[in-house]
Amino acid sequence: MVEYLLAIIGTGEMGSWIAEQLVEKNIFRPEQIVLTRRNKGKLEKLAGKLGTAYTLNNCEAARNSKRILLSVRPQQMQEVLEEIKPFVSESQIIMPVAVGLGMDFYEKFFPKNQIIRIMPNPFISSNLGLIAYSKNRNADAYTIEMVKSFFGQLCESLVEIDDGKMHAFSTMAACSSAIFWEFFNSVYEQAKEDGFDEKTARELTLVSALAASKHSLKSEESLLELINSAATPGGMTIEGIKHLRENGFAGNVKQALQKISERSREIDRQLNK
């Protein structure tokens, strides 16, 4: 007998965020969710906060839930899947949340189940950014609509992509945020050197970045056209852009993103041996 509508196996940072948002937005009632985690203290604290059920037993949670959301580290995923596989029926929906592991990996364990891979971004707790999902051949229209209903409320945009593009999506939508922050931090540090206090320097940096992003989304101009419109010949901005280009800024950023993507694929290869 199904006792819960959703089991979230692994309530670390991402799993906890998802659980909190699903409850706070009334997508699920607390009693419809069961949570698991190895750390009993943190698990009890989260479940107590949200009012959900919890257990240290992944197999118990999987067996008693209609849908299973897997939010464990990629390096731990195989161990968890081997553990719960005997307790999962073909009617249960599998929803993994992990970078670097393709659909083929999960279908080795659950070849007849509906599997929906969910790829959130670091801003899910703020309902910002994109969430992507991919589906296997067993997923039906009802399940896809369910995914849209649940996860569409946790982001600004929910997109379906081919599973083969998940590596690229995780690089661009999730991991790239750290690269943006690295750049923002350089602007922030320069603002402090120019005499602004920390609070003003932070606000100046982030509000300017937000304004640029919002303007870009509204504009029909390409990003290169926007750069050129701001960096006019003979002006101040063009000198900074020239310096970045002469010192390989674009190439360095691309190489950084490629390194992230390579690591994602490396994890996939290691765990699919």
Side-chain angles (χ1 to χ4, degrees):
M1 179 180 177
V2 174
E3 188 174 352
Y4 304 103
L5 294 184
L6 179 68
I8 301 181
I9 295 180
T11 49
E13 189 171 35
M14 183 61 71
S16 296
W17 283 346
I18 292 173
E20 289 173 2
Q21 292 298 307
L22 292 176
V23 171
E24 290 175 7
K25 293 184 177 300
N26 297 315
I27 299 171
F28 287 97
R29 297 194 304 275
E31 63 269 20
Q32 295 175 321
I33 299 176
V34 59
L35 310 177
T36 79
R37 185 172 183 169
R38 290 178 176 177
N39 187 311
K40 184 179 179 181
K42 291 184 177 180
L43 177 61
E44 289 179 339
K45 182 178 180 179
L46 178 63
K49 173 185 175 182
L50 300 180
T52 65
Y54 69 93
T55 176
L56 295 173
N57 190 322
N58 290 333
C59 299
E60 177 186 331
R63 182 180 59 235
N64 294 320
S65 300
K66 185 175 181 179
R67 307 172 187 90
I68 303 169
L69 191 145
L70 298 157
S71 183
V72 300
R73 294 180 183 277
Q75 295 84 349
Q76 299 171 337
M77 188 65 78
Q78 181 162 329
E79 176 187 348
V80 171
L81 297 186
E82 290 173 345
E83 177 188 13
I84 68 172
K85 181 180 177 181
F87 302 91
V88 176
S89 69
E90 295 176 3
S91 64
Q92 290 171 285
I93 298 168
I94 311 299
M95 298 185 292
V97 181
V99 298
L101 297 173
M103 190 67 74
D104 291 348
F105 176 84
Y106 300 101
E107 288 186 324
K108 289 189 302 184
F109 295 90
F110 308 110
K112 296 184 178 181
N113 291 72
Q114 298 186 67
I115 304 176
I116 310 292
R117 283 188 68 198
I118 309 294
M119 189 60 63
N121 64 77
F123 314 113
I124 188 173
S125 62
S126 303
N127 304 134
L128 298 174
L130 298 170
I131 292 179
Y133 71 91
S134 62
K135 64 183 189 296
N136 72 343
R137 60 186 178 277
N138 300 325
D140 59 30
Y142 177 81
T143 297
I144 298 304
E145 289 305 312
M146 174 270 295
V147 168
K148 292 179 180 179
S149 174
F150 294 170
F151 291 95
Q153 299 182 58
L154 307 187
C155 60
E156 292 177 287
S157 181
L158 178 71
V159 295
E160 178 182 341
I161 63 175
D162 180 79
D163 194 68
K165 292 184 172 65
M166 276 294 200
H167 287 291
F169 178 86
S170 63
T171 298
M172 299 306 300
C175 302
S176 64
S177 58
I179 292 177
F180 287 123
W181 285 328
E182 180 75 12
F183 176 74
F184 295 166
N185 188 61
S186 297
V187 177
Y188 164 73
E189 291 294 341
Q190 183 60 48
K192 289 196 298 180
E193 287 185 21
D194 286 342
F196 292 100
D197 60 68
E198 291 188 0
K199 180 180 179 181
T200 304
R202 176 184 170 88
E203 185 175 16
L204 178 61
T205 300
L206 298 181
V207 172
S208 297
L210 180 61
S213 295
K214 287 185 174 181
H215 177 74
S216 302
L217 286 170
K218 292 180 179 180
S219 175
E220 295 183 358
E221 293 183 285
S222 69
L223 294 179
L224 185 57
E225 287 172 333
L226 289 170
I227 293 171
N228 291 336
S229 67
T232 55
M236 298 180 295
T237 307
I238 189 63
E239 294 304 314
I241 296 299
K242 282 181 180 179
H243 178 80
L244 290 176
R245 290 174 176 171
E246 289 169 359
N247 287 275
F249 177 78
N252 286 331
V253 171
K254 288 179 181 179
Q255 288 178 27
L257 292 169
Q258 289 165 5
K259 290 290 185 182
I260 294 170
S261 183
E262 288 169 9
R263 177 55 180 157
S264 175
R265 294 182 186 279
E266 181 184 352
I267 292 172
D268 195 0
R269 288 193 296 270
Q270 289 174 346
L271 297 178
N272 273 294
K273 287 182 180 180

